[in-house]
Amino acid sequence: MDRKQLLDTLTQITLENKTFAEALLLKSEIELSNSPSDDSWSILECIEHLNLYGNFYLPEIASCIAKADKSNCNLFKSGFLGNYFVKLIQPKPRLNKMKTAAKMNPKGRRLTKNCLEVFIRQQNQLLDLLQKAHTTDLTQLKTKISISRFLRLRLGDTLQFMVYHNQRHIEQVRSIMTSKL
């Protein structure tokens, strides 16, 4: 896969996610806090879930890129495990429910619009990292992952996972908004 094409795609999705989150700031906190049912998340809980992942992955990605030498390698080859995780998390027409790790589950937390502001800041950080990734080897560099201290994913897979995970939950927010109409 072409590195520039991959990073351009991930950048476009991230810009769309950020723009959508900025529009959510116009909604009332009550509307953002209501969940469609007892066993589903509210809009703010969806966003806070993404913030929790961002708190782990953004410093990990930044550290990985900061240590990297400049690379002329313009290709990215996904790893077996990374490809599996990316395909699992990518948004589909009908989202399959997935169990989240307890430490990444925001259910029941008292949340405010501040979590939207945090998400927007994180999207800006991610955009900066995607730009810096244009000169790194996305295949050779590896990052830690949140579910295991022992597994590592290729930087390109981690970037895809993070962006597609964000996109997946933005789609969930859209679904919550249409279910309330």
Side-chain angles (χ1 to χ4, degrees), residues 40-150:
S40 62
W41 290 344
S42 69
I43 292 170
L44 289 179
E45 287 168 334
C46 289
I47 299 299
E48 182 64 10
H49 170 71
L50 296 177
N51 291 343
L52 294 170
Y53 271 93
N55 290 342
F56 176 85
Y57 281 104
L58 289 170
E60 182 64 25
I61 293 166
S63 173
C64 183
I65 290 174
K67 293 177 197 169
D69 293 327
K70 299 250 186 261
S71 171
N72 292 327
C73 179
N74 292 318
L75 296 177
F76 168 65
K77 182 168 175 32
S78 188
F80 174 77
L81 193 59
N83 188 49
Y84 170 78
F85 285 137
V86 168
K87 285 191 182 314
L88 186 69
I89 207 70
Q90 276 181 316
K92 298 163 187 67
R94 182 159 159 72
L95 288 180
N96 53 322
K97 278 199 165 206
M98 300 176 84
K99 188 125 173 99
T100 192
K103 67 182 178 181
M104 301 296 191
N105 190 341
K107 188 72 176 158
R109 292 185 187 184
R110 187 170 298 274
L111 301 170
T112 65
K113 280 187 174 182
N114 180 60
C115 72
L116 282 168
E117 293 163 3
V118 169
F119 180 74
I120 292 164
R121 277 195 306 274
Q122 285 188 355
Q123 295 313 286
N124 285 328
Q125 285 178 283
L126 182 54
L127 288 166
D128 182 54
L129 293 169
L130 287 165
Q131 186 60 42
K132 290 177 180 173
H134 278 274
T135 59
T136 60
D137 188 330
L138 302 179
T139 304
Q140 292 300 314
L141 295 171
K142 302 219 173 170
T143 65
K144 296 175 190 168
I145 63 172
S146 63
I147 59 171
S148 170
R149 294 189 327 220
F150 306 107

